[in-house]
Amino acid sequence: VQLQASGGGLVQAGGSLRLSCAASGTIDSINAMGWYRQGPGKERELVAEVSSYSVPKYADSVKGRFTISRDDDKNTVHLQMYSLKSEDTAVYYCNAHTIESLLTMSRVDYWGQGTQVTVSS
């Protein structure tokens, strides 16, 4: 699985941005796609993901502000970010994962290149 991310940039607080991630390769094996982020001095954290059944999951910190969607025709996932805050500043990484074992739920993660999102206050 290969992931190509796009979007990001610099925006003022309260503004909006959209991130996109296109998957290629063995995409039929993907269980879910989404976005993680890593802020300065912080660990990487899940922002949002959407399963192959189109069930979304969001971090509490972005609920109501971010929307994740998928375009199956283009094998692409979009993350629309509204009401951005300075604490949203981070490098955002596209992620896809496959489930290797339903018994153990072990997974293999694939990562796209990071894209910087900077929110100025």
Side-chain angles (χ1 to χ4, degrees):
V1 176
Q2 294 81 45
L3 302 173
Q4 181 66 48
S6 60
L10 174 64
V11 66
Q12 288 189 332
S16 302
L17 281 174
R18 189 172 91 151
L19 305 180
S20 298
C21 178
S24 61
T26 316
I27 58 175
D28 289 343
S29 63
I30 294 175
N31 177 254
M33 285 182 65
W35 292 90
Y36 286 67
R37 68 186 180 189
Q38 187 165 16
K42 297 181 180 180
E43 294 187 352
R44 192 173 295 189
E45 62 176 358
L46 174 68
V47 177
E49 69 176 14
V50 59
S51 73
S52 55
Y53 298 100
S54 297
V55 176
K57 181 167 68 175
Y58 298 95
D60 288 342
S61 60
V62 307
K63 283 180 181 176
R65 299 189 298 120
F66 291 10
T67 300
I68 192 166
S69 61
R70 53 189 294 153
D71 181 344
D72 290 335
D73 290 339
K74 297 181 179 179
N75 301 317
T76 298
V77 169
H78 303 289
L79 182 68
Q80 182 66 54
M81 304 183 290
Y82 299 101
S83 302
L84 283 161
K85 305 175 181 179
S86 58
E87 51 262 45
D88 295 318
T89 295
V91 178
Y92 285 68
Y93 295 92
C94 179
N95 170 272
H97 73 260
T98 61
I99 299 297
E100 298 301 298
S101 168
L102 292 176
L103 181 63
T104 64
M105 294 305 289
S106 60
R107 57 188 264 177
V108 175
D109 285 279
Y110 300 88
W111 298 94
Q113 81 279 15
T115 185
Q116 178 71 45
V117 171
T118 301
V119 184
S120 62
S121 55

